[in-house]
Amino acid sequence: MNEIQQLLLNQQRRDFLRGSVLGLGSVALGSLMGCRNEKKVYLAAPKSAQVPEENQPLGNPHFAPRAKRVIYLFQSGGPSQMELFEYKPRLTEMHGQEIPPSVMGTNRISGMVTNQYSFPLAQPAATFSRRGANGTYVSDLLPYTGQVVDDLCLVKSMYTEQINHEPAMVFMQTGNQLSGRPCIGSWLSYGLGSLNENLPSFIVMLSKGGGDQPISSSAWSNGFLPSHHQGVQFMSGKDPVLYLSSSGGTDKMDRRRALDFIKELNLLQNETWQDPEVDSRLNQYEMAFRMQTAVPGVTDISDEPQHVLDMYGPDVKVPGSFAYNCLLARRLAERDVRFIQLYHLGWDHHGSLTSGIRRATQQTDQPSAALVQDLKQRGLLDDTLVVWGGEFGRTSFCQGKLTPEAFGRDHHPGAFTMWMAGGGIKPGLVYGETDDFAHNVVRNPVHVHDFQATLLHLMGIDHEQFIYKSQGRRYRLTDVHGRVMHDLLA
């Protein structure tokens, strides 16, 4: 049955009167035309003819999930694969030579190099060593990641469609380059709900000290989903969640009574308007009240043993640092927060790559590896999926003048590396392959939508069946694309 038929079957007499410009005149016209006997057809539809109600949370996964929660370590700016995970001796051999036309091909270049007349290849600003049982090449800039490489699945054949930061970041998080769609965390919060009554199901943290390039809140937007599924941002100051604390002198029981009274008013309004945002407001008020007790217990790390703090590195006691946020992510995972999103800026190295990438890796390498180790030793890694990666990669050729210290690399959507760990992912796997210059994917390409489909699959969700209808169209996180990468699954 199509939607127009369903609309007619569900139409009530009062809807007809309210929506008719002619009002009672239309009723008179209908009686003259002999429509009285047809009224019952429009008042109710046989149960067998009714279409299942749309836009309902899943409640339960489509199938048994491999992961219960996700910690996503987003490295904003585009980490260079040549300096981190792609050992390519040819880059060193051909350092300073023009990139071969067969390698350059028809790849897009950004507006920042359109006036560049020469595109010399640049050798990596790092050395590599074999690490782990499989002898996986890992940059010496990532000594701690090298220690846990056997727990990681390196995907070297990622590619995307966007070449600029904002649309590429939004595309990676929402499946579309335009702002306004729900992000991964919001989809999971909506579909599967919360595992913890006292904390939001979707929490976001931005680390400080990484870089100056801004990141838009559209990356953790609920889009067209109910607003209480938007990511709740934890801040690095005295109040981790803005507007959460009660004003001075307010008794907790007084606050509870006030909320109960507001709830009654909102319920009355909801009976009249049936607005889903009223339900969202009720959820937000109640969650804020419970968070007043729960959040301080999460952010107070004074109960952590010293050896655990040492794992995360010297910055772990600095609120807002990437190390501190990684430790909070583990504490939130222990409390069954469904989706924990960390953003670290500082990977956009158009110049001074050598010093810039050393700074970025010094801030993130040890905490990222410590998070994997910490989850593993607590038995949480088996059902927690950890993701590390940015929005795109970097070019194998140099941006600007090629010098030992000052050269940089431009944006490159054609190939980049991400890693995943735990949550049903095959450990110790290196998947996909690029050419001798880490510029083009030559084996097992993985599109952004494939990554998103695989993530949902690990959470027990069929991405093709996980749909929300908005403004007359049905939407998915993966749009009309995506395939589950079964080769990555344990």
Side-chain angles (χ1 to χ4, degrees):
M1 181 183 300
N2 64 39
E3 295 176 1
I4 295 177
Q5 289 175 318
Q6 183 64 33
L7 177 64
L8 291 174
L9 287 170
N10 289 337
Q11 188 176 14
Q12 302 293 322
R13 182 171 177 273
R14 67 178 61 184
D15 296 324
F16 172 72
L17 292 173
R18 184 185 298 125
S20 174
V21 176
L22 298 177
L24 294 175
S26 298
V27 177
L29 178 61
S31 65
L32 291 173
M33 296 178 66
C35 297
R36 288 180 176 177
N37 294 331
E38 298 180 10
K39 183 171 62 175
K40 291 182 180 179
V41 176
Y42 295 97
L43 286 177
K47 288 186 178 180
S48 61
Q50 291 183 2
V51 176
E53 190 174 359
E54 293 186 298
N55 293 359
Q56 294 297 313
L58 297 178
N60 294 309
H62 292 126
F63 42 83
R66 305 294 299 274
K68 291 172 59 179
R69 63 192 78 81
V70 178
I71 301 176
Y72 195 149
L73 310 177
F74 194 95
Q75 310 302 305
S76 181
S80 172
Q81 66 273 24
M82 280 73 64
E83 274 68 37
L84 300 178
F85 298 107
E86 289 277 44
Y87 176 62
K88 300 294 181 181
R90 286 292 301 279
L91 276 177
T92 302
E93 294 171 9
M94 296 184 63
H95 177 71
Q97 300 181 35
E98 286 294 306
I99 184 172
S102 59
V103 177
M104 190 71 161
T106 58
N107 285 323
R108 294 173 62 193
I109 58 174
S110 79
M112 288 173 283
V113 295
T114 52
N115 294 324
Q116 191 169 313
Y117 63 90
S118 177
F119 298 93
L121 294 168
Q123 66 184 9
T127 55
F128 284 76
S129 300
R130 289 184 178 272
R131 309 300 294 267
N134 297 327
T136 303
Y137 277 107
V138 180
S139 169
D140 292 331
L141 295 175
L142 301 172
Y144 293 95
T145 301
Q147 293 175 12
V148 298
V149 71
D150 288 340
D151 294 312
L152 310 182
C153 172
L154 292 177
V155 183
K156 295 187 175 183
S157 52
M158 290 293 305
Y159 71 101
T160 182
E161 301 171 13
Q162 306 306 320
I163 199 170
N164 293 312
H165 291 292
E166 178 73 8
M169 180 269 296
V170 172
F171 187 65
M172 179 65 73
Q173 298 294 275
T174 72
N176 192 279
Q177 65 172 321
L178 301 176
S179 299
R181 300 282 184 88
C183 64
I184 302 173
S186 294
W187 277 109
L188 291 176
S189 173
Y190 165 76
L192 299 177
S194 178
L195 295 167
N196 186 316
E197 294 183 353
N198 298 321
L199 289 167
S201 56
F202 177 19
I203 291 176
V204 176
M205 290 178 279
L206 277 67
S207 55
K208 62 182 184 181
D212 298 328
Q213 183 169 341
I215 185 168
S216 169
S217 60
S218 59
W220 55 93
S221 168
N222 59 291
F224 44 69
L225 296 175
S227 60
H228 61 278
H229 297 296
Q230 178 175 328
V232 175
Q233 186 177 351
F234 274 27
M235 314 297 287
S236 59
K238 179 181 178 182
D239 294 321
V241 181
L242 296 179
Y243 315 117
L244 183 64
S245 302
S246 296
S247 57
T250 303
D251 182 76
K252 184 176 181 180
M253 294 306 298
D254 289 339
R255 180 64 174 161
R256 178 69 266 173
R257 285 191 291 268
L259 286 176
D260 290 339
F261 183 71
I262 294 172
K263 180 178 180 180
E264 291 179 12
L265 294 175
N266 282 329
L267 288 173
L268 289 173
Q269 184 184 35
N270 200 28
E271 290 178 5
T272 303
W273 298 106
Q274 298 295 311
D275 184 353
E277 282 305 301
V278 177
D279 291 328
S280 288
R281 185 62 57 86
L282 289 169
N283 283 322
Q284 289 163 344
Y285 282 156
E286 291 299 320
M287 178 57 70
F289 181 77
R290 294 193 295 269
M291 286 171 64
Q292 288 181 328
T293 300
V295 169
V298 173
T299 56
D300 181 7
I301 64 172
S302 61
D303 58 345
E304 291 288 342
Q306 187 60 44
H307 72 275
V308 171
L309 297 176
D310 293 340
M311 283 176 57
Y312 286 87
D315 293 336
V316 71
K317 293 186 177 181
V318 180
S321 67
F322 185 74
Y324 177 85
N325 288 347
C326 281
L327 178 57
L328 285 195
R330 189 225 76 205
R331 293 170 68 89
L332 291 168
E334 284 182 305
R335 290 158 174 81
D336 275 335
V337 172
R338 177 77 69 184
F339 197 92
I340 306 154
Q341 180 89 61
L342 272 61
Y343 288 97
H344 184 78
L345 286 71
W347 294 95
D348 190 24
H349 301 130
H350 293 278
S352 301
L353 172 69
T354 302
S355 59
I357 201 162
R358 288 184 183 278
R359 181 170 180 266
T361 52
Q362 287 171 357
Q363 292 174 331
T364 60
D365 173 41
Q366 185 173 356
S368 299
L371 176 61
V372 174
Q373 290 176 307
D374 204 2
L375 290 169
K376 185 176 181 179
Q377 70 184 10
R378 295 169 188 271
L380 290 169
L381 189 59
D382 290 341
D383 58 4
T384 302
L385 175 65
V386 183
V387 180
W388 186 101
E391 65 267 40
F392 44 54
R394 314 300 291 199
T395 55
S396 55
F397 60 81
C398 168
Q399 178 179 350
K401 186 177 181 181
L402 182 57
T403 65
E405 291 295 330
F407 81 94
R409 300 188 189 276
D410 194 23
H411 307 167
H412 183 55
F416 62 104
T417 300
M418 296 179 66
W419 61 252
M420 293 180 278
I425 285 292
K426 190 177 295 184
L429 175 67
V430 177
Y431 188 81
E433 184 180 350
T434 56
D435 58 22
D436 289 340
F437 308 95
H439 200 77
N440 300 293
V441 174
V442 296
R443 184 169 61 89
N444 296 330
V446 181
H447 187 267
V448 168
H449 286 131
D450 301 333
F451 158 72
Q452 293 163 342
T454 305
L455 187 153
L456 291 181
H457 179 86
L458 291 167
M459 298 294 288
I461 296 175
D462 182 344
H463 74 104
E464 293 183 346
Q465 301 299 318
F466 191 27
I467 298 168
Y468 192 93
K469 184 178 178 182
S470 176
Q471 296 183 341
R473 182 191 161 182
R474 293 174 175 86
Y475 292 90
R476 302 182 345 213
L477 170 63
T478 53
D479 198 37
V480 295
H481 311 283
R483 58 197 174 98
V484 176
M485 308 302 298
H486 290 281
D487 291 343
L488 306 182
L489 309 183

